[in-house]
Amino acid sequence: MTASDAFSLADLPIRSDLRGREPYGAPQIDVPVRLNTNENPYGPSPSLVEDLARVVRENAAGLNRYPDRDAMALRADLAAYLGHGLTAEQVWAANGSNEVIQQILQAFGGPGRCALGFEPSYSMHPILATGAATEWIAGAREEDFGIDPAKAVAAIEEHRPDVVFLTSPNNPTGTALAPETIAAIVAAAPGMVVVDEAYFEFARTGTPSALTLLPDHPRLIVTRTMSKAFAMAGTRLGYLAAHPAVIEALLLVRLPYHLSTLTQAVARTALAHRQELLGTVDRLRAERDATVDWLRGRGLKVADSDANFVLFGHFPNRRAVWEGLLERGVLIREVGPPGWLRVSIGTPEEMAAFKAALEEVL
Ligand SMILES: *Cc1c(COP(=O)(O)O)cnc(C)c1O
């Protein structure tokens, strides 16, 4: 045995607040049917692949130079996509909305500060808070996974959080928040309020975006991503809309040249082809609604979903159900309150495989 064999993480002088923590860990297992990380199952068409290859080739000739540090052209394209009269100065982009959120916590959280979220919700929010040395306070959602505005305001008054996280539609429950709930929380919050709208494009028709609240609320931040509806999870591109002063704050903490030339070019090309990429959203929403009905038809409890996944239960031994599906080549996610499981919406063939496997397991 060498000295390096005996050495482990516990021997390193790691920060005490990171000791004993677990990293984010959705399993990446190679199985025929992957319905565990809410990706869009439809890849780019051959003609879009050609276009992406062409912009990579064009930009490759200039890779000796740093990228546009402020990604102005991309931010203008993202603002145009969002609409609501937004401009490039009100939009910021980074490598996934996870990096966007990390920058928000670096600028507005930090030692001695705290962030409040309403659980069950996205597990990365507390992990990113911890990484930014920001205390995490877990507020609660209601039985139906909604947020009671009066209770949320009370929690805000009790903890005075520097950052409040609202996920709408929520992961892993699929629940969208009413704009009145968000407005009540923004009015009560002493610090920043982040509405994580990673799944907004999948919301049922008529669900308003928190973008509508931006003109009245300079401490509101709305985050989005190209990882889900846009079918570009591999590109790593997330973004936000907020008051230009918020973006000035983020410039203080971002790494210089954080968005590579290739990322910017590929994201702009994907945005130009949004008709194709977002063209699968209606199909996925219909498949989601059919999945909800099918699961309810089997007598299961199912949370209403405005996203591209469905939370269902309630299983005395959810691990056994998850493993039974995996043995049949179907990977879903063991996440959410005890007894519940989450399935991402895939192609009709993938959903048929999921249903067949679940019937066998049950
Ligand atoms: C998937 C997801 C994201 C996306 O993260 P990226 O870093 O943009 O891939 C953000 N928020 C929530 C709630 C998610 O589920």
Side-chain angles (χ1 to χ4, degrees):
M1 194 161 94
T2 66
S4 69
D5 288 328
F7 195 83
S8 77
L9 169 57
D11 301 309
L12 285 171
I14 190 171
R15 276 163 39 187
S16 59
D17 58 337
L18 296 180
R19 237 172 237 289
R21 297 261 175 180
E22 294 284 336
Y24 173 84
Q28 288 193 304
I29 306 173
D30 198 10
V31 294
V33 181
R34 281 189 290 171
L35 302 172
N36 73 327
T37 48
N38 302 339
E39 294 144 322
N40 188 320
Y42 299 102
S45 66
S47 81
L48 178 47
V49 169
E50 274 312 307
D51 254 25
L52 292 167
R54 184 178 50 76
V55 298
V56 168
R57 190 164 51 240
E58 283 166 11
N59 281 276
L63 285 178
N64 55 313
R65 300 293 179 189
Y66 281 115
D68 173 6
R69 205 169 44 212
D70 294 329
M72 287 313 295
L74 172 60
R75 286 161 62 196
D77 289 354
L78 289 165
Y81 164 63
L82 287 176
H84 295 270
L86 291 163
T87 63
E89 288 66 37
Q90 293 163 286
V91 171
W92 179 245
N95 295 282
S97 49
N98 276 295
E99 187 182 24
V100 169
I101 294 166
Q102 182 177 55
Q103 292 172 341
I104 293 167
L105 285 160
Q106 287 176 318
F108 298 105
R113 293 188 164 211
C114 68
L116 169 69
F118 298 88
E119 297 184 350
S121 192
Y122 185 43
S123 65
M124 277 309 297
H125 294 157
I127 291 174
L128 290 164
T130 302
T134 308
E135 185 193 349
W136 179 256
I137 295 164
R141 284 174 174 257
E142 300 302 297
E143 192 88 22
D144 65 357
F145 302 124
I147 294 178
D148 178 319
K151 288 188 201 165
V153 168
I156 287 167
E157 282 166 0
E158 180 187 348
H159 299 287
R160 310 292 298 162
D162 300 283
V163 184
V164 175
F165 283 97
L166 301 173
T167 313
S168 179
N170 187 41
N171 178 7
T173 65
T175 323
L177 294 174
E180 303 80 63
T181 303
I182 298 172
I185 290 167
V186 176
M192 306 302 294
V193 176
V194 180
V195 183
D196 184 335
E197 289 192 347
Y199 300 97
F200 179 75
E201 288 91 346
F202 294 109
R204 284 170 287 187
T205 312
T207 310
S209 165
L211 292 172
T212 56
L213 301 171
L214 276 181
D216 299 323
H217 298 291
R219 289 181 288 100
L220 175 64
I221 302 173
V222 181
T223 64
R224 296 275 187 101
T225 181
M226 294 184 76
S227 297
K228 308 288 162 57
F230 255 101
M232 281 278 136
T235 299
R236 306 307 297 128
L237 200 287
Y239 55 105
L240 63 74
H243 191 280
V246 173
I247 289 148
E248 283 183 58
L250 301 181
L251 290 175
L252 301 174
V253 298
R254 64 90 180 271
L255 297 173
Y257 317 109
H258 66 297
L259 267 184
S260 87
T261 300
L262 299 181
T263 300
Q264 294 186 38
V266 166
R268 292 191 69 204
T269 305
L271 279 163
H273 288 265
R274 60 175 165 267
Q275 211 149 10
E276 173 190 326
L277 289 168
L278 294 175
T280 60
V281 165
D282 283 346
R283 228 179 301 165
L284 290 165
R285 293 200 296 186
E287 192 72 51
R288 167 198 66 204
D289 293 341
T291 304
V292 169
D293 290 345
W294 185 86
L295 288 164
R296 285 190 178 141
R298 294 290 164 295
L300 293 163
K301 272 211 277 186
V302 185
D304 286 330
S305 178
D306 274 290
N308 66 335
F309 53 80
V310 175
L311 189 73
F312 65 101
H314 178 272
F315 305 109
N317 185 353
R318 74 171 171 184
R319 169 57 62 90
V321 177
W322 182 84
E323 280 174 352
L325 292 172
L326 188 57
E327 280 163 18
R328 290 162 178 79
V330 180
L331 177 62
I332 68 167
R333 191 81 187 275
E334 190 182 8
V335 69
W340 295 78
L341 292 166
R342 189 193 72 193
V343 62
S344 307
I345 301 303
T347 63
E349 296 73 32
E350 289 171 326
M351 298 319 288
F354 161 72
K355 291 174 193 170
L358 188 63
E359 293 220 292
E360 281 183 29
V361 170
L362 299 181

